[in-house]
Amino acid sequence: QVQLVESGGGLVQSGGSLTLSCAASGSIDSRAIMRYFREFPDKRREMVSRITSEGATDYAESVKGRFTISRDNAKNTITLQMNGLKAEDTAVYLCNYLTMTTSYWGPGTQVTVSS
């Protein structure tokens, strides 16, 4: 089992910044891909970003140039730096830990951007 503890999030004005973090503990797989998804108020879910253990990254088109994901393998932690936030970024952000055999989810943290 892997446990995910998320931090960050909150309320910010349009154009502002927030930082999300996700720490994994338990049965750590060094090859796991760590990802952030977001779930919008209409329950639509999309992948925001992902990072491999080697540091390779991917981003949704909607956040490219504004969000940056990083990873500390020694601490089993990822950080999502979100700049230039827009009202349409409002969502619950969920951390995901993906191994070859299973996927774990954090509880999610609310990000609300006021326009």
Side-chain angles (χ1 to χ4, degrees), residues 11-19 66-67 81-87 89 111 113-114:
L11 174 65
V12 66
Q13 289 188 332
S14 180
S17 299
L18 284 173
T19 302
R66 299 188 296 124
F67 291 11
Q81 177 64 43
M82 306 186 292
N83 299 326
L85 284 161
K86 307 174 182 179
D89 293 317
V111 170
V113 185
S114 63

Side-chain angles (χ1 to χ4, degrees), residues 20-68:
L20 304 182
S21 293
C22 174
S25 63
S27 302
I28 298 299
D29 182 339
S30 62
R31 298 162 298 177
I33 295 172
M34 295 187 74
R35 306 182 290 181
Y36 267 108
F37 283 74
R38 60 186 178 183
E39 184 172 287
F40 297 103
D42 63 1
K43 301 305 181 183
R44 179 172 54 91
R45 187 176 287 193
E46 73 170 3
M47 190 185 78
V48 177
S49 183
R50 66 179 180 180
I51 186 166
T52 70
S53 57
E54 293 81 16
T57 59
D58 284 310
Y59 296 92
E61 284 297 324
S62 57
V63 307
K64 279 184 179 178
R66 299 188 296 124
F67 291 11
T68 303

